[in-house]
Amino acid sequence: MADSSFDIVSKVERQEVDNALNQAAKEISQRYDFKGVGASISWSGEKILMEANSEDRVSAVLDVFQSKLIKRGISLKALDAGEPQLSGKEYKIFASIEEGISQENAKKVAKLIRDEGPKGVKAQVQGEELRVSSKSRDDLQTVIALLKGQDFDFALQFVNYR
């Protein structure tokens, strides 16, 4: 009998991020407390740029964007937002969307599976993802439950379960 397996990835649906950004921009343009403060949010290449005329307002723009991401099912662990920076008379925050599992994070997850997971479960790093395989599907379910119970500083999704 062939081994069952699944992949652990850290991916973000780009369209969902774009939808969240558009919803945040619409809310910012309509809300009374953002009138006359030059608040905006937009794509700037691969990064997301948030601007306003005060540090508090630009932080509020970030809060609105984060709430829209949560509503669209995107983990905030994938959002890497910088600190507010003064640029001329405007405050700006640059944020980026982190995708993929770094080699060191993949090794941490693989070590956790080896140490705390059921015996006979194998984890292999494959680029920016991790393949977990075992003869028993129940063992794979146990590994998924184990990883969901951990608090990593990056988002995890489980795909290709077969």
Side-chain angles (χ1 to χ4, degrees), residues 42 46 76 105 154:
S42 62
E46 282 297 305
L76 292 183
N105 286 337
F154 51 95

Side-chain angles (χ1 to χ4, degrees), residues 27-94:
E27 182 172 324
I28 289 164
S29 70
Q30 293 175 345
R31 266 181 42 181
Y32 177 75
D33 57 336
F34 286 118
K35 293 278 188 250
V37 296
S40 68
I41 182 170
S42 62
W43 286 105
S44 174
E46 282 297 305
K47 292 191 177 278
I48 298 162
L49 172 65
M50 292 161 261
E51 296 178 299
N53 66 3
S54 76
E55 195 170 342
D56 294 339
R57 287 290 118 214
V58 79
S59 295
V61 171
L62 178 61
D63 287 344
V64 169
F65 182 54
Q66 287 175 334
S67 71
K68 298 301 177 189
L69 285 174
I70 290 169
K71 282 183 181 171
R72 301 206 70 83
I74 298 170
S75 172
L76 292 183
K77 292 177 181 177
L79 180 69
D80 181 24
E83 293 297 313
Q85 301 168 339
L86 185 60
S87 173
K89 292 182 178 180
E90 295 274 304
Y91 280 89
K92 297 181 179 186
I93 294 178
F94 284 99

Side-chain angles (χ1 to χ4, degrees), residues 3 13 35-36 40 65 86 110 112 128 132 143 149 152-153 158:
D3 284 0
E13 189 70 39
K35 293 278 188 250
S40 68
F65 182 54
L86 185 60
L112 179 77
E128 292 189 337
V132 180
V143 169
F152 295 108
D153 57 349
F158 307 100

Side-chain angles (χ1 to χ4, degrees), residues 10 63 129 149:
S10 181
D63 287 344
E129 56 185 49

Side-chain angles (χ1 to χ4, degrees), residues 101-111 125 127 130 152-154:
I101 302 174
S102 69
Q103 288 292 330
E104 71 180 51
N105 286 337
K107 286 177 184 171
K108 281 184 204 171
V109 174
K111 183 174 180 349
V125 178
L130 199 65
F152 295 108
D153 57 349
F154 51 95

